[in-house]
Amino acid sequence: MNSSPLFDLTDRVILVTGATGALAGSAADYLAAQGARVVYFGRTQDKLDAALARCRETTPDARCLGLVADVLDRPALERARDTILHRWGRIDGLLNGAGGNQSGATIAPGKTFADLDFTAFREVVDLNLHGTVLPSLVFTPPMLEGARGSVVNFSSASAPQAITRVVGYSAAKAGVENFTRWLAVDLGRRTQGKIRVNAVLPGFFLGEQNRRLLTHEDGSLTDRGDAIVRNTPFGRFGQAAELHGAIHYLLADASSFVTGSILSIDGGFGAFSGV
Ligand SMILES: NC(=O)c1ccc[n+]([C@@H]2O[C@H](COP(=O)([O-])OP(=O)(O)OC[C@H]3O[C@@H](n4cnc5c(N)ncnc54)[C@H](O)[C@@H]3O)[C@@H](O)[C@H]2O)c1
């Protein structure tokens, strides 16, 4: 479908976790529109149905597959793997998009680290780190049997540098970055580069998880939202479609010598000292 073979994703079997969410959902729709066979993973059938309806707007029905699985549920992931292999015979790509924060794992205004809800901290690490490791564990072995494989994880601007209040999520995403490098080295050596592992690092994208933190009901910025925009050289939040190019690149042959990299899509946030 793509005029350059470097970026051709036609018929690639690409799995997307968190595909009922904002960023990974948008990426899944984009990949399907590029001619990939996309497996949408979600936790509930009704949200999956809505996502699949979007997929079918641009793509023949046979290329969109929806599977219900929690990324922390190994037997469910293994059943899904068997279904995919039965249907399409291989797995070429995995976008580990499931993730997010929860309020208990952050330090609320007026509170200190001593007030941290450790259960929430653990749950956020579970979702973001273990929810990346487990799908990688289940879905990369079939890639070893195929001609190629590319895993793309989601890091965050809070992984490389401290962002106030966001303690659990930052620790989890820092773990995702290290795991990205570790698995890149392990699979890169074992397959002589056939399987690659990288991560995207989105800056700040307005979504349901952070909307109340960053904007008021009338759409104006909260103090925190304003601080983020002031520290983003582009002076705005990102939009989901602005991740598509980076994800496409990392899944396609254009990045055939790229592994273990963390690609920032952040309007310059990570490059800026704030001064
Ligand atoms: N929005 C941002 O600004 C931003 C910035 C950096 C990184 N990220 C990361 O990007 C990814 C997508 O985030 P988003 O903003 O689209 O959030 P989102 O909440 O819209 O999407 C996250 C998806 O993960 C799913 N999910 C949660 N727990 C799950 C579980 N146990 N099993 C399976 N699925 C589960 C949710 O149902 C949801 O569909 C996440 O990893 C997030 O941490 C987001």
Side-chain angles (χ1 to χ4, degrees), residues 99-102 127 169 206-213:
N101 202 358
Q102 56 171 280
L127 170 58
Y169 182 71
L206 218 45
E208 289 324 303
Q209 286 194 38
N210 57 14
R211 189 175 304 276
R212 276 191 305 150
L213 203 63

Side-chain angles (χ1 to χ4, degrees), residues 17-25 41-44 47 69-73 96-101 127-128 131-132 153-158 169 173 200-210 214 243:
T17 72
T20 59
L23 301 185
F41 276 94
R43 278 178 302 173
T44 58
K47 285 194 179 168
D70 190 307
V71 288
L72 298 173
D73 181 347
N96 276 313
N101 202 358
L127 170 58
N128 290 280
T132 295
N153 298 327
F154 270 82
S155 182
S156 151
S158 65
Y169 182 71
K173 291 299 191 184
V200 288
L201 185 162
F204 292 85
F205 289 64
L206 218 45
E208 289 324 303
Q209 286 194 38
N210 57 14
L214 304 180
L243 287 178

Side-chain angles (χ1 to χ4, degrees), residues 64-190:
C64 315
L65 176 63
L67 295 174
V68 176
D70 190 307
V71 288
L72 298 173
D73 181 347
R74 186 171 185 163
L77 294 172
E78 289 174 342
R79 283 194 300 276
R81 175 199 59 203
D82 295 346
T83 302
I84 296 159
L85 291 177
H86 180 71
R87 177 150 171 178
W88 284 326
R90 60 172 203 276
I91 293 172
D92 301 309
L94 168 63
L95 179 62
N96 276 313
N101 202 358
Q102 56 171 280
S103 55
T106 64
I107 309 300
K111 302 280 184 187
T112 72
F113 175 62
D115 301 306
L116 175 69
D117 173 351
F118 185 65
T119 303
F121 182 101
R122 198 193 300 257
E123 285 171 4
V124 167
V125 173
D126 260 348
L127 170 58
N128 290 280
L129 178 55
H130 305 160
T132 295
V133 173
L134 204 46
S136 302
L137 192 57
V138 172
F139 297 127
T140 56
M143 290 182 187
L144 287 161
E145 287 158 29
R148 69 191 148 229
S150 172
V151 179
V152 180
N153 298 327
F154 270 82
S155 182
S156 151
S158 65
Q161 58 199 122
I163 292 192
T164 55
R165 296 170 53 183
V166 188
V167 56
Y169 182 71
S170 304
K173 291 299 191 184
V176 169
E177 285 204 3
N178 185 273
F179 172 66
T180 298
R181 295 190 191 94
W182 191 92
L183 194 62
V185 170
D186 183 68
L187 292 178
R189 284 160 61 99
R190 281 166 58 201

Side-chain angles (χ1 to χ4, degrees), residues 212-233:
R212 276 191 305 150
L213 203 63
L214 304 180
T215 59
H216 297 296
E217 282 199 352
D218 64 2
S220 62
L221 295 175
T222 61
D223 288 348
R224 193 167 174 86
D226 183 57
I228 286 165
V229 167
R230 275 189 287 106
N231 282 284
T232 302

